[in-house]
Amino acid sequence: MFDEDFDYIATDYDEEYEEPETWTLISALDRVLNEVLKLRLTKKFWKKCKNPIDYLTKELNMTGIQVVLLAILLENDEPMTWKGIAKSVRCSRLSIMKYSDEIEDLVSRRWLMHRSVREFSSCYQGFCLSEGVADALRENKPFVPEKIDGLELDAFVNKVMKYVKENVKSTNSEFSDDKDWMLMMCEANSHLPLCKEALKYQDCLNDLLFFMVTVSDYAEWGGTDNEGLNLAELDDVFPDDNFIDRMKYALCQGTHRLFEDDLIEHACVDGMAIPECFVLTCRCKEELLDGFVPQGKRNMNFNRRARGVIAHTSIKEKAMFYNAAEQQQIERLTNLLGQENFPAIQQRLTDQGMRKGFACLFYGAPGTGKTETVMQMARRTGRDILQVDIAGMRDKYVGESEKNIKMVFDSYRAVCKRSEVTPILFFNEADAIFNKRTENVEKSVDKMDNAMQNIILQELENLEGILIATTNLTSNLDKAFERRFLFKVEFHMPEVSVKQQLWSSMLQGITEEEALLLAMNYNFSGGQIENIARQRAIDFILTGKQSSLEAIEGYCRAEMISMNGNTRSVIGFR
């Protein structure tokens, strides 16, 4: 089987090595390497290296020739062709190629990777150690390949992006190797819709590679000004031959099969298509990359369209007073959202084939405590709040508003994945975007609003977390929105007994009788009572004296005047 007929000649290399009491992977491989370089694959070599090879074959679950190849590649530290390996042990290339099955076994076990090696103007098949092999051996541990199959979408796309950045655009990487790697990754993760779609192009790996490189570009730059592959970058990815010229022409003309399958399109700037720049289509992003948030926006995209994350630990405890009906609903909802109950409730809903998201609507007159209730619920349930900047949603450019609202939900999903406790997505004063859709639209603004509302409706349908919206104007609420809110809590103006509690809690020093008198005489919301309490606090700072009941009633009359001042006289005849 080996070079048994090799005529061994005694040399100075015949020195005997002292056997160590205990082998390590590195010391055993070092002994094998030293002997094979001197003795080649002869009987003498196998006899002298019996102990280290026995140790290595047992520890690494390899054959003897696999151990030899591992030692050679570990020493060389760069891809080697069949010819290069043969040269290392001073034998013919054919004598090494006899062991191709054993070498391919190491490839299938992912100890080795196929790697083309360029020599002068030609390219030859070769092999190199997989990333991490040397580190594992140095730590005296068998190599355990990184998991590449059964990946979630985020993990898969991030691996593709990393590979593209490190290999595809590198002059040290060969075009054929990149195609093989992409095909291997897609086959290993064919459960993902993205990979199923990509495998439709395995008859032409050039197209598969281009599609996955475009996915990588989106993963890194999606939603930013840098998104898109241009013609110059294609030269870095593909070899400079007739193929790339044909591909460029088809891409610029929009006749490439990836265009026909609605996977890529020309980039658009200020409403103008750019034929030399290519991006993923909306259909591709929504269906094949649903829920994936590009790298450039993971840490900043929510900040662009949201006021940021409000940590539950930063919310100060505040006494809240409600009418009896609202108190019961709020306590029930707070109990449901508690960390001890929420996961079990979601699991029960999932088991019964129901949507597991919690969409809640708080509606009622201004100042009745809707916003503060959300804050206190978050504090009590230990959930952070992601508050959406609704005013920042609309954009003057066509399609940007729709992207903004989609971005909010994409970001929320990403934050949920990174959070041990599901946060609350909070739309405060959501009247502007949760209103009725316009029929028979003609204006572009109406089309934009309808498109935004359709996106929100679909996101509410697919919601897996917690969304709370507050609004003062339920008359404008679309019926489709109303149906999608699981919990709807109406906040009424406080009853006399509740107002008495509010006056007593906010105005220190007044008696229960004075609080009752104020509650009966003024039909104020909690927000208005707080306004009066703040005015009293300011006067105390200025004068050093606590305001009397008469002064407090003066504040109340001023508050009523400001309320009346909001009304407008009717123009025309009555």
Side-chain angles (χ1 to χ4, degrees):
M1 179 176 181
F2 306 109
D3 295 344
E4 298 179 357
D5 296 330
F6 172 69
D7 186 16
Y8 177 72
I9 301 174
T11 68
D12 293 338
Y13 296 139
D14 285 341
E15 60 186 283
E16 294 295 331
Y17 288 99
E18 182 180 349
E19 291 283 324
E21 294 183 6
T22 304
W23 290 102
T24 65
L25 295 178
I26 290 296
S27 65
L29 285 166
D30 181 56
R31 176 66 58 83
V32 169
L33 178 68
N34 286 331
E35 295 296 342
V36 78
L37 293 179
K38 293 182 291 187
L39 303 175
R40 314 183 194 182
L41 297 174
T42 60
K43 287 182 178 180
K44 178 80 171 180
F45 163 74
W46 294 106
K47 182 178 180 181
K48 290 193 70 172
C49 287
K50 182 179 185 306
N51 289 339
I53 288 178
D54 285 348
Y55 168 77
L56 290 166
T57 54
K58 178 181 178 181
E59 292 296 316
L60 302 180
N61 188 27
M62 291 183 181
T63 65
I65 198 67
Q66 288 175 334
V67 166
V68 171
L69 182 66
L70 178 63
I72 293 171
L73 287 172
L74 191 63
E75 174 67 16
N76 200 60
D77 197 29
E78 62 182 27
M80 298 183 70
T81 62
W82 294 100
K83 183 178 180 180
I85 297 170
K87 187 176 180 180
S88 295
V89 293
R90 293 178 293 161
C91 64
S92 70
R93 179 167 55 179
L94 290 177
S95 65
I96 290 295
M97 291 181 72
K98 291 188 301 185
Y99 310 118
S100 59
D101 288 345
E102 292 178 81
I103 294 176
E104 288 300 326
D105 177 62
L106 289 181
V107 174
S108 66
R109 291 166 57 188
R110 293 181 33 227
W111 280 75
L112 303 185
M113 296 187 299
H114 287 295
R115 183 63 70 203
S116 299
V117 179
R118 185 172 294 277
E119 294 180 357
F120 301 104
S121 60
S122 301
C123 196
Y124 301 93
Q125 185 188 48
F127 308 92
C128 68
L129 294 179
S130 296
E131 183 179 356
V133 170
D135 290 338
L137 296 175
R138 180 171 50 82
E139 296 173 4
N140 204 41
K141 296 186 298 186
F143 172 64
V144 178
E146 184 182 12
K147 179 179 174 63
I148 64 167
D149 60 329
L151 299 178
E152 297 293 334
L153 178 63
D154 278 16
F156 174 81
V157 175
N158 287 330
K159 280 187 180 295
V160 168
M161 179 176 63
K162 180 181 177 182
Y163 182 87
V164 169
K165 291 172 67 175
E166 295 180 354
N167 296 280
V168 172
K169 298 182 181 181
S170 169
T171 56
N172 296 322
S173 177
E174 289 297 330
F175 179 54
S176 58
D177 299 326
D178 299 332
K179 293 190 294 185
D180 292 341
W181 188 89
M182 287 295 179
L183 177 61
M184 176 190 69
M185 287 295 294
C186 289
E187 288 177 336
N189 295 280
S190 58
H191 62 285
L192 295 175
L194 176 66
C195 294
K196 285 183 181 178
E197 193 71 27
L199 288 172
K200 293 179 181 179
Y201 302 94
Q202 57 186 314
D203 63 318
C204 181
L205 293 185
N206 298 321
D207 294 341
L208 186 150
L209 177 61
F210 176 71
F211 175 50
M212 297 309 295
V213 171
T214 313
V215 168
S216 170
D217 177 79
Y218 169 72
E220 186 174 6
W221 302 111
T224 70
D225 294 338
N226 292 326
E227 181 181 2
L229 289 174
N230 56 49
L231 291 180
E233 289 179 286
L234 291 183
D235 292 332
D236 296 332
V237 176
F238 296 96
D240 186 15
D241 58 13
N242 292 331
F243 158 73
I244 188 61
D245 292 333
R246 294 194 302 271
M247 186 178 193
K248 285 180 178 179
Y249 179 80
L251 289 169
C252 291
Q253 295 297 315
T255 57
H256 193 279
R257 62 193 292 200
L258 290 168
F259 273 84
E260 295 173 355
D261 293 341
D262 195 25
L263 293 176
I264 65 171
E265 62 187 359
H266 292 131
C268 186
V269 178
D270 295 340
M272 299 291 291
I274 310 298
E276 299 83 13
C277 190
F278 317 101
V279 296
L280 298 180
T281 62
C282 290
R283 198 274 291 189
C284 180
K285 295 174 184 177
E286 292 172 1
E287 295 182 10
L288 305 182
L289 290 159
D290 182 41
F292 180 82
V293 180
Q295 183 184 67
K297 299 166 68 176
R298 288 176 192 171
N299 297 324
M300 54 72 67
N301 57 359
F302 202 88
N303 292 333
R304 286 181 58 197
R305 305 301 171 190
R307 295 175 186 171
V309 178
I310 302 173
H312 68 277
T313 53
S314 68
I315 301 172
K316 295 182 179 180
E317 184 176 1
K318 185 174 182 179
M320 301 293 291
F321 304 96
Y322 305 98
N323 297 329
E326 293 134 52
Q327 179 76 42
Q328 184 178 2
Q329 287 179 288
I330 291 163
E331 285 300 322
R332 177 170 179 262
L333 181 56
T334 303
N335 186 47
L336 291 174
L337 296 182
Q339 293 183 33
E340 64 279 4
N341 294 327
F342 186 68
I345 293 171
Q346 281 198 313
Q347 186 60 52
R348 183 68 179 271
L349 292 172
T350 301
D351 293 342
Q352 296 185 13
M354 300 180 183
R355 298 192 304 273
K356 64 179 185 179
F358 274 54
C360 314
L361 178 68
F362 292 175
Y363 66 98
T368 49
K370 301 182 293 296
T371 301
E372 189 59 42
T373 297
V374 177
M375 298 294 172
Q376 294 303 315
M377 286 179 62
R379 182 189 60 79
R380 291 176 60 185
T381 58
R383 301 186 184 279
D384 296 338
I385 294 177
L386 278 64
Q387 185 168 351
V388 179
D389 179 12
I390 295 175
M393 288 292 166
R394 285 184 168 79
D395 197 292
K396 63 181 179 180
Y397 294 113
V398 176
E400 288 301 311
S401 299
E402 295 91 318
K403 290 181 181 179
N404 291 342
I405 192 65
K406 187 73 167 64
M407 184 194 305
V408 166
F409 286 96
D410 288 344
S411 302
Y412 177 65
R413 278 189 286 269
V415 173
C416 287
K417 287 183 179 180
R418 298 195 299 267
S419 304
E420 293 183 6
V421 180
T422 303
I424 296 171
L425 183 60
F426 183 30
F427 286 79
N428 197 23
E429 299 179 0
D431 318 316
I433 56 174
F434 283 58
N435 53 8
K436 292 181 179 178
R437 287 169 289 180
T438 306
E439 297 181 0
N440 303 320
V441 294
E442 295 181 0
K443 297 180 180 179
S444 59
V445 174
D446 293 334
K447 293 179 181 178
M448 177 192 70
D449 285 346
N450 281 1
M452 290 178 65
Q453 289 155 11
N454 288 335
I455 291 172
I456 295 172
L457 288 170
Q458 185 61 45
E459 293 290 353
L460 287 173
E461 196 75 20
N462 300 328
L463 181 70
E464 295 189 354
I466 304 166
L467 181 148
I468 302 180
T470 65
T471 178
N472 301 328
L473 304 172
T474 54
S475 59
N476 288 339
L477 191 67
D478 194 290
K479 291 294 183 184
F481 280 112
E482 186 177 333
R483 178 178 66 80
R484 283 168 171 79
F485 285 110
L486 180 61
F487 294 95
K488 295 176 276 288
V489 181
E490 182 176 7
F491 286 69
H492 297 276
M493 292 294 286
E495 298 169 357
V496 172
S497 60
V498 177
K499 285 189 288 185
Q500 183 183 13
Q501 290 177 298
L502 288 168
W503 283 112
S504 295
S505 66
M506 293 187 190
L507 274 69
Q508 297 179 359
I510 66 171
T511 65
E512 291 187 8
E513 292 76 12
E514 289 172 332
L516 178 59
L517 179 66
L518 292 169
M520 295 177 64
N521 289 344
Y522 303 99
N523 188 27
F524 287 160
S525 67
Q528 291 170 301
I529 296 174
E530 185 175 11
N531 277 347
I532 293 164
R534 291 172 64 193
Q535 291 184 47
R536 188 191 189 212
I538 292 170
D539 277 356
F540 178 78
I541 293 172
L542 294 175
T543 65
K545 297 180 180 179
Q546 203 65 271
S547 301
S548 63
L549 180 61
E550 182 179 356
I552 294 172
E553 290 190 293
Y555 305 146
C556 292
R557 288 191 291 272
E559 183 71 21
M560 292 175 67
I561 291 172
S562 65
M563 291 170 59
N564 295 332
N566 289 332
T567 61
R568 298 175 58 184
S569 59
V570 179
I571 299 176
F573 296 101
R574 291 186 179 276

